Amino acid sequence: MKAPTLITPRLTLRALRKSDAPEIARKIAPWGVIKWLSAPPHPYRLADARWFIANQGTGVHWAITTNDAFLGVIGMPDLGYWLAQAHQGRGYMTEAARAVIKWHFAQSEDKIVSGHMIGNHASRAVLSKLGFVDTHVAVQFAEPLGEEVQVQRMALTADRWAAS
C-alpha cells in the first residue's frame, strides 16, 4: 500500500520516493541514530537506502518532512521510526506518530504495537506520550550492534487512543 499524504501543523508525511535514498543514507547512518534501530545494517550505505525504498513489503512508510527538508522515516504495521539527530528533541516524532496513529485508527480498530530498546529514553517518551503501554520485554538481534538486545514491547488500543 502506498502511504497517503498526512499533514500536521509542522510536518508533511508523504510516501517514500527513490530520490529520498541519499537523505536516508546520510541521516540514518550516524551512530546516535542507527544504534537504536534493530534492522538496518551498519555501516549504512546508499545501496541500503535504495533497497529499503524498493522493498517495503506489506508495510506503509512515510518520509517525515518539513518545508521540503527530510527529517526521518516512520512506518507501520508495527510502529517504527527514526529521526535525524539534528531534528531530535523538538516534538517532531510525537507529531508524526500522532498523525500515523490517527490515520490507522480511522481505518481499523486493530491495536498498534511498537517498542524501543531498553535505554532509549527518547523513544520511550514518544510512545508513552501517545498512550502506549508496556506489554513485555523481548530479545531481538540488533544488526548495527551485532548482538541481541532487550526491547520493551508496547501496544496501543483503539479504545485507549479514543480516550486520550
Side-chain angles (χ1 to χ4, degrees):
M1 164 185 238
K2 184 177 176 183
T5 299
L6 305 174
I7 307 292
T8 73
R10 299 183 297 164
L11 304 171
T12 298
L13 281 63
R14 59 161 175 76
L16 291 174
R17 303 173 184 151
K18 288 180 183 178
S19 61
D20 291 328
E23 286 291 288
I24 291 172
R26 188 170 62 83
K27 291 184 176 178
I28 198 174
W31 188 244
V33 175
I34 204 164
K35 74 178 180 179
W36 296 115
L37 304 174
S38 61
H42 180 68
Y44 197 88
R45 297 181 171 91
L46 181 58
D48 299 314
R50 289 181 177 140
W51 182 91
F52 173 72
I53 292 167
N55 295 284
Q56 296 178 53
T58 59
V60 181
H61 294 86
W62 289 265
I64 304 168
T65 67
T66 185
N67 299 324
D68 292 324
F70 187 96
L71 308 183
V73 173
I74 188 166
M76 295 280 286
D78 286 8
L79 182 66
Y81 48 81
W82 63 267
L83 198 63
Q85 283 183 302
H87 304 291
Q88 294 176 4
R90 299 180 190 176
Y92 288 136
M93 190 52 69
T94 301
E95 188 173 327
R98 189 171 280 121
V100 169
I101 292 166
K102 182 179 176 184
W103 169 81
H104 171 81
F105 285 132
Q107 310 176 72
S108 171
E109 296 223 352
D110 292 347
K111 75 178 176 183
I112 301 172
V113 296
S114 190
H116 63 86
M117 286 185 196
I118 302 296
N120 186 343
H121 305 295
S123 190
R124 179 169 184 80
V126 167
L127 295 170
S128 295
K129 280 186 246 180
L130 296 167
F132 281 78
V133 295
D134 293 344
T135 57
H136 65 284
V137 174
V139 175
Q140 186 172 341
F141 187 78
E143 190 69 36
L145 299 173
E147 64 186 22
E148 290 185 335
V149 296
Q150 290 189 323
V151 175
Q152 177 63 62
R153 301 299 296 162
M154 302 176 82
L156 177 63
T157 63
D159 289 341
R160 186 165 172 85
W161 175 253
S164 65

